[in-house]
Amino acid sequence: MLRPMWDIGNRRDYGERDLDIARVWVEFAGELAPGARAPVRLLPLTSARWRHLAPGDRITLYETAVAAGTATILEVQPPSA
């Protein structure tokens, strides 16, 4: 499973974006072709840093210094115990 970095709105003390890691997998398909769209699930590495997100929020995926995609939050589930 892929573990890309995401710009979810967190910032460092001096204002630069602070990227967060989440495991990602595509729902109902083995892979997602470049430019394609599909529901995916994210499992944040540090869930506390993601708690401010709500349905409708847009986040940006980074695999390098260049943005590789965007996602719109559809649902937020509480962390598993």
Side-chain angles (χ1 to χ4, degrees), residues 20-23 42-50:
D20 290 273
I21 297 172
R23 204 167 93 183
L42 301 178
L43 179 60
L45 181 64
T46 309
S47 60
R49 293 177 52 86
W50 295 67

Side-chain angles (χ1 to χ4, degrees), residues 6 8 10 20-22 42 44-54 59 73 76:
W6 295 87
I8 61 172
N10 292 325
D20 290 273
I21 297 172
L42 301 178
L45 181 64
T46 309
S47 60
R49 293 177 52 86
W50 295 67
R51 287 195 182 126
H52 65 281
L53 294 173
I59 60 176
I73 304 296
V76 176

Side-chain angles (χ1 to χ4, degrees), residues 9-81:
N10 292 325
R11 297 290 176 255
R12 296 181 184 188
D13 291 339
Y14 48 90
E16 183 178 326
R17 72 173 173 243
D18 196 7
L19 300 178
D20 290 273
I21 297 172
R23 204 167 93 183
V24 61
W25 62 95
V26 180
E27 294 277 50
F28 315 115
E31 62 183 51
L32 183 62
R37 296 170 57 130
V40 300
R41 295 236 177 226
L42 301 178
L43 179 60
L45 181 64
T46 309
S47 60
R49 293 177 52 86
W50 295 67
R51 287 195 182 126
H52 65 281
L53 294 173
D57 288 344
R58 290 184 58 99
I59 60 176
T60 305
L61 173 139
Y62 288 86
E63 292 181 307
T64 65
V66 177
T70 60
T72 301
I73 304 296
L74 300 176
E75 175 185 26
V76 176
Q77 295 183 357
S80 300

